[in-house]
mmCIF file of all heavy atoms in Angstrom:
data_model
loop_
_atom_site.group_PDB
_atom_site.id
_atom_site.type_symbol
_atom_site.label_atom_id
_atom_site.label_comp_id
_atom_site.label_asym_id
_atom_site.label_seq_id
_atom_site.Cartn_x
_atom_site.Cartn_y
_atom_site.Cartn_z
ATOM 1 N N SER A 81 -10.370 11.112 -1.324
ATOM 2 C CA SER A 81 -11.186 9.939 -1.621
ATOM 3 C C SER A 81 -12.546 9.958 -0.947
ATOM 4 O O SER A 81 -13.442 9.199 -1.311
ATOM 5 C CB SER A 81 -10.427 8.661 -1.246
ATOM 6 O OG SER A 81 -10.315 8.603 0.161
ATOM 7 N N GLY A 82 -12.671 10.773 0.090
ATOM 8 C CA GLY A 82 -13.937 10.812 0.792
ATOM 9 C C GLY A 82 -14.052 9.772 1.906
ATOM 10 O O GLY A 82 -15.132 9.528 2.404
ATOM 11 N N ILE A 83 -12.903 9.183 2.293
ATOM 12 C CA ILE A 83 -12.900 8.233 3.383
ATOM 13 C C ILE A 83 -13.239 8.992 4.669
ATOM 14 O O ILE A 83 -12.540 9.939 5.018
ATOM 15 C CB ILE A 83 -11.554 7.506 3.499
ATOM 16 C CG1 ILE A 83 -11.303 6.656 2.273
ATOM 17 C CG2 ILE A 83 -11.501 6.651 4.767
ATOM 18 C CD1 ILE A 83 -9.908 6.052 2.171
ATOM 19 N N LYS A 84 -14.288 8.575 5.360
ATOM 20 C CA LYS A 84 -14.713 9.287 6.543
ATOM 21 C C LYS A 84 -13.935 8.878 7.824
ATOM 22 O O LYS A 84 -13.636 9.705 8.657
ATOM 23 C CB LYS A 84 -16.208 9.064 6.781
ATOM 24 C CG LYS A 84 -17.040 9.579 5.643
ATOM 25 C CD LYS A 84 -18.494 9.667 5.977
ATOM 26 C CE LYS A 84 -19.367 10.143 4.846
ATOM 27 N NZ LYS A 84 -18.811 10.753 3.727
ATOM 28 N N ASN A 85 -13.583 7.630 7.902
ATOM 29 C CA ASN A 85 -12.849 7.127 9.052
ATOM 30 C C ASN A 85 -11.539 6.501 8.567
ATOM 31 O O ASN A 85 -11.462 5.274 8.363
ATOM 32 C CB ASN A 85 -13.710 6.114 9.843
ATOM 33 C CG ASN A 85 -13.039 5.653 11.118
ATOM 34 O OD1 ASN A 85 -12.050 6.221 11.558
ATOM 35 N ND2 ASN A 85 -13.571 4.592 11.700
ATOM 36 N N GLY A 86 -10.539 7.353 8.328
ATOM 37 C CA GLY A 86 -9.293 6.837 7.787
ATOM 38 C C GLY A 86 -8.093 7.437 8.487
ATOM 39 O O GLY A 86 -8.183 8.508 9.079
ATOM 40 N N ARG A 87 -6.996 6.687 8.406
ATOM 41 C CA ARG A 87 -5.741 7.181 8.954
ATOM 42 C C ARG A 87 -4.612 6.545 8.164
ATOM 43 O O ARG A 87 -4.796 5.549 7.487
ATOM 44 C CB ARG A 87 -5.625 6.896 10.411
ATOM 45 C CG ARG A 87 -5.620 5.428 10.806
ATOM 46 C CD ARG A 87 -5.613 5.246 12.326
ATOM 47 N NE ARG A 87 -5.886 3.912 12.705
ATOM 48 C CZ ARG A 87 -4.971 2.972 12.955
ATOM 49 N NH1 ARG A 87 -3.688 3.276 12.854
ATOM 50 N NH2 ARG A 87 -5.321 1.743 13.281
ATOM 51 N N SER A 88 -3.448 7.112 8.326
ATOM 52 C CA SER A 88 -2.296 6.570 7.619
ATOM 53 C C SER A 88 -1.392 5.836 8.630
ATOM 54 O O SER A 88 -1.414 6.096 9.809
ATOM 55 C CB SER A 88 -1.504 7.635 6.904
ATOM 56 O OG SER A 88 -0.990 8.572 7.845
ATOM 57 N N LEU A 89 -0.626 4.897 8.084
ATOM 58 C CA LEU A 89 0.347 4.128 8.825
ATOM 59 C C LEU A 89 1.578 4.038 7.965
ATOM 60 O O LEU A 89 1.566 3.415 6.921
ATOM 61 C CB LEU A 89 -0.196 2.759 9.174
ATOM 62 C CG LEU A 89 0.750 1.822 9.927
ATOM 63 C CD1 LEU A 89 1.095 2.388 11.304
ATOM 64 C CD2 LEU A 89 0.103 0.458 10.038
ATOM 65 N N ILE A 90 2.629 4.747 8.363
ATOM 66 C CA ILE A 90 3.877 4.763 7.623
ATOM 67 C C ILE A 90 4.894 3.950 8.373
ATOM 68 O O ILE A 90 5.149 4.228 9.538
ATOM 69 C CB ILE A 90 4.401 6.218 7.403
ATOM 70 C CG1 ILE A 90 3.306 7.141 6.892
ATOM 71 C CG2 ILE A 90 5.610 6.187 6.474
ATOM 72 C CD1 ILE A 90 2.676 6.760 5.609
ATOM 73 N N VAL A 91 5.437 2.914 7.737
ATOM 74 C CA VAL A 91 6.394 2.048 8.399
ATOM 75 C C VAL A 91 7.631 1.884 7.527
ATOM 76 O O VAL A 91 7.593 2.231 6.304
ATOM 77 C CB VAL A 91 5.779 0.668 8.708
ATOM 78 C CG1 VAL A 91 4.691 0.763 9.743
ATOM 79 C CG2 VAL A 91 5.241 -0.011 7.451
ATOM 80 N N GLU A 92 8.713 1.429 8.091
ATOM 81 C CA GLU A 92 9.963 1.271 7.340
ATOM 82 C C GLU A 92 10.323 -0.213 7.301
ATOM 83 O O GLU A 92 10.158 -0.921 8.287
ATOM 84 C CB GLU A 92 11.075 2.054 8.011
ATOM 85 C CG GLU A 92 10.865 3.526 7.942
ATOM 86 C CD GLU A 92 11.993 4.338 8.648
ATOM 87 O OE1 GLU A 92 13.081 3.732 8.911
ATOM 88 O OE2 GLU A 92 11.760 5.526 8.926
ATOM 89 N N GLY A 93 10.838 -0.648 6.151
ATOM 90 C CA GLY A 93 11.298 -2.024 5.999
ATOM 91 C C GLY A 93 10.975 -2.595 4.643
ATOM 92 O O GLY A 93 10.840 -1.878 3.674
ATOM 93 N N SER A 94 10.784 -3.910 4.609
ATOM 94 C CA SER A 94 10.454 -4.626 3.373
ATOM 95 C C SER A 94 8.921 -4.552 3.184
ATOM 96 O O SER A 94 8.159 -4.811 4.104
ATOM 97 C CB SER A 94 10.864 -6.087 3.514
ATOM 98 O OG SER A 94 10.310 -6.866 2.509
ATOM 99 N N ALA A 95 8.496 -4.183 1.986
ATOM 100 C CA ALA A 95 7.079 -3.915 1.740
ATOM 101 C C ALA A 95 6.173 -5.044 2.177
ATOM 102 O O ALA A 95 5.253 -4.804 2.995
ATOM 103 C CB ALA A 95 6.875 -3.546 0.263
ATOM 104 N N PHE A 96 6.369 -6.225 1.650
ATOM 105 C CA PHE A 96 5.399 -7.297 1.969
ATOM 106 C C PHE A 96 5.442 -7.638 3.456
ATOM 107 O O PHE A 96 4.403 -7.843 4.098
ATOM 108 C CB PHE A 96 5.622 -8.531 1.092
ATOM 109 C CG PHE A 96 6.395 -9.641 1.722
ATOM 110 C CD1 PHE A 96 5.719 -10.631 2.462
ATOM 111 C CD2 PHE A 96 7.757 -9.715 1.615
ATOM 112 C CE1 PHE A 96 6.430 -11.660 3.025
ATOM 113 C CE2 PHE A 96 8.459 -10.750 2.159
ATOM 114 C CZ PHE A 96 7.803 -11.728 2.918
ATOM 115 N N PHE A 97 6.650 -7.694 4.016
ATOM 116 C CA PHE A 97 6.744 -8.064 5.451
ATOM 117 C C PHE A 97 6.072 -7.063 6.346
ATOM 118 O O PHE A 97 5.389 -7.411 7.312
ATOM 119 C CB PHE A 97 8.243 -8.195 5.815
ATOM 120 C CG PHE A 97 8.494 -8.652 7.211
ATOM 121 C CD1 PHE A 97 8.305 -9.972 7.581
ATOM 122 C CD2 PHE A 97 8.868 -7.703 8.194
ATOM 123 C CE1 PHE A 97 8.490 -10.363 8.881
ATOM 124 C CE2 PHE A 97 9.071 -8.096 9.493
ATOM 125 C CZ PHE A 97 8.871 -9.432 9.842
ATOM 126 N N GLU A 98 6.286 -5.771 6.059
ATOM 127 C CA GLU A 98 5.705 -4.746 6.926
ATOM 128 C C GLU A 98 4.186 -4.635 6.741
ATOM 129 O O GLU A 98 3.464 -4.298 7.730
ATOM 130 C CB GLU A 98 6.363 -3.381 6.648
ATOM 131 C CG GLU A 98 7.828 -3.354 7.033
ATOM 132 C CD GLU A 98 8.102 -3.703 8.521
ATOM 133 O OE1 GLU A 98 7.244 -3.442 9.361
ATOM 134 O OE2 GLU A 98 9.192 -4.263 8.795
ATOM 135 N N VAL A 99 3.680 -4.912 5.556
ATOM 136 C CA VAL A 99 2.207 -4.908 5.389
ATOM 137 C C VAL A 99 1.594 -6.049 6.208
ATOM 138 O O VAL A 99 0.605 -5.865 6.872
ATOM 139 C CB VAL A 99 1.845 -5.024 3.881
ATOM 140 C CG1 VAL A 99 0.329 -5.338 3.718
ATOM 141 C CG2 VAL A 99 2.189 -3.744 3.176
ATOM 142 N N ILE A 100 2.233 -7.222 6.189
ATOM 143 C CA ILE A 100 1.749 -8.347 6.982
ATOM 144 C C ILE A 100 1.806 -8.033 8.445
ATOM 145 O O ILE A 100 0.866 -8.281 9.213
ATOM 146 C CB ILE A 100 2.569 -9.648 6.652
ATOM 147 C CG1 ILE A 100 2.403 -10.075 5.202
ATOM 148 C CG2 ILE A 100 2.184 -10.772 7.598
ATOM 149 C CD1 ILE A 100 0.998 -10.326 4.762
ATOM 150 N N ARG A 101 2.927 -7.455 8.886
ATOM 151 C CA ARG A 101 3.082 -7.131 10.302
ATOM 152 C C ARG A 101 2.025 -6.089 10.715
ATOM 153 O O ARG A 101 1.405 -6.212 11.769
ATOM 154 C CB ARG A 101 4.462 -6.539 10.540
ATOM 155 C CG ARG A 101 4.719 -6.238 12.020
ATOM 156 C CD ARG A 101 5.974 -5.477 12.253
ATOM 157 N NE ARG A 101 7.140 -6.115 11.651
ATOM 158 C CZ ARG A 101 8.354 -6.114 12.204
ATOM 159 N NH1 ARG A 101 8.555 -5.445 13.333
ATOM 160 N NH2 ARG A 101 9.331 -6.682 11.623
ATOM 161 N N ALA A 102 1.763 -5.101 9.873
ATOM 162 C CA ALA A 102 0.760 -4.076 10.180
ATOM 163 C C ALA A 102 -0.645 -4.692 10.260
ATOM 164 O O ALA A 102 -1.430 -4.342 11.127
ATOM 165 C CB ALA A 102 0.789 -2.952 9.130
ATOM 166 N N ALA A 103 -0.950 -5.597 9.331
ATOM 167 C CA ALA A 103 -2.252 -6.242 9.334
ATOM 168 C C ALA A 103 -2.487 -7.002 10.650
ATOM 169 O O ALA A 103 -3.604 -6.948 11.210
ATOM 170 C CB ALA A 103 -2.394 -7.173 8.152
ATOM 171 N N LYS A 104 -1.463 -7.672 11.125
ATOM 172 C CA LYS A 104 -1.573 -8.406 12.404
ATOM 173 C C LYS A 104 -1.699 -7.451 13.556
ATOM 174 O O LYS A 104 -2.569 -7.606 14.423
ATOM 175 C CB LYS A 104 -0.336 -9.319 12.591
ATOM 176 C CG LYS A 104 -0.353 -10.515 11.669
ATOM 177 C CD LYS A 104 0.931 -11.351 11.858
ATOM 178 C CE LYS A 104 0.946 -12.534 10.902
ATOM 179 N NZ LYS A 104 2.197 -13.289 10.996
ATOM 180 N N ALA A 105 -0.820 -6.425 13.614
ATOM 181 C CA ALA A 105 -0.826 -5.483 14.735
ATOM 182 C C ALA A 105 -2.122 -4.698 14.806
ATOM 183 O O ALA A 105 -2.593 -4.381 15.892
ATOM 184 C CB ALA A 105 0.374 -4.553 14.597
ATOM 185 N N GLU A 106 -2.684 -4.346 13.662
ATOM 186 C CA GLU A 106 -3.922 -3.549 13.614
ATOM 187 C C GLU A 106 -5.178 -4.402 13.638
ATOM 188 O O GLU A 106 -6.277 -3.901 13.660
ATOM 189 C CB GLU A 106 -3.911 -2.682 12.361
ATOM 190 C CG GLU A 106 -2.797 -1.661 12.316
ATOM 191 C CD GLU A 106 -2.977 -0.529 13.317
ATOM 192 O OE1 GLU A 106 -4.141 -0.261 13.775
ATOM 193 O OE2 GLU A 106 -1.966 0.135 13.642
ATOM 194 N N ASP A 107 -5.018 -5.726 13.602
ATOM 195 C CA ASP A 107 -6.118 -6.663 13.628
ATOM 196 C C ASP A 107 -7.167 -6.340 12.548
ATOM 197 O O ASP A 107 -8.338 -6.187 12.794
ATOM 198 C CB ASP A 107 -6.797 -6.672 15.017
ATOM 199 C CG ASP A 107 -7.782 -7.833 15.200
ATOM 200 O OD1 ASP A 107 -7.598 -8.874 14.533
ATOM 201 O OD2 ASP A 107 -8.764 -7.679 15.929
ATOM 202 N N VAL A 108 -6.658 -6.250 11.311
ATOM 203 C CA VAL A 108 -7.525 -5.851 10.197
ATOM 204 C C VAL A 108 -8.338 -7.061 9.711
ATOM 205 O O VAL A 108 -7.929 -8.234 9.900
ATOM 206 C CB VAL A 108 -6.744 -5.218 9.047
ATOM 207 C CG1 VAL A 108 -6.028 -3.972 9.487
ATOM 208 C CG2 VAL A 108 -5.797 -6.170 8.374
ATOM 209 N N ASP A 109 -9.473 -6.762 9.098
ATOM 210 C CA ASP A 109 -10.375 -7.784 8.570
ATOM 211 C C ASP A 109 -10.154 -8.042 7.073
ATOM 212 O O ASP A 109 -10.628 -9.069 6.557
ATOM 213 C CB ASP A 109 -11.812 -7.392 8.825
ATOM 214 C CG ASP A 109 -12.078 -7.163 10.297
ATOM 215 O OD1 ASP A 109 -11.900 -8.117 11.056
ATOM 216 O OD2 ASP A 109 -12.444 -6.023 10.700
ATOM 217 N N LEU A 110 -9.506 -7.104 6.396
ATOM 218 C CA LEU A 110 -9.267 -7.243 4.973
ATOM 219 C C LEU A 110 -8.073 -6.376 4.578
ATOM 220 O O LEU A 110 -7.908 -5.245 5.076
ATOM 221 C CB LEU A 110 -10.521 -6.751 4.194
ATOM 222 C CG LEU A 110 -10.419 -6.741 2.669
ATOM 223 C CD1 LEU A 110 -10.356 -8.178 2.137
ATOM 224 C CD2 LEU A 110 -11.639 -5.999 2.047
#
Side-chain angles (χ1 to χ4, degrees):
S81 67
I83 295 171
K84 298 194 184 342
N85 185 12
R87 62 185 168 94
S88 63
L89 177 63
I90 312 300
V91 293
E92 294 178 16
S94 167
F96 100 89
F97 182 77
E98 294 303 329
V99 168
I100 298 301
R101 184 190 306 215
K104 289 177 181 176
E106 297 288 339
D107 192 28
V108 301
D109 301 300
L110 177 67

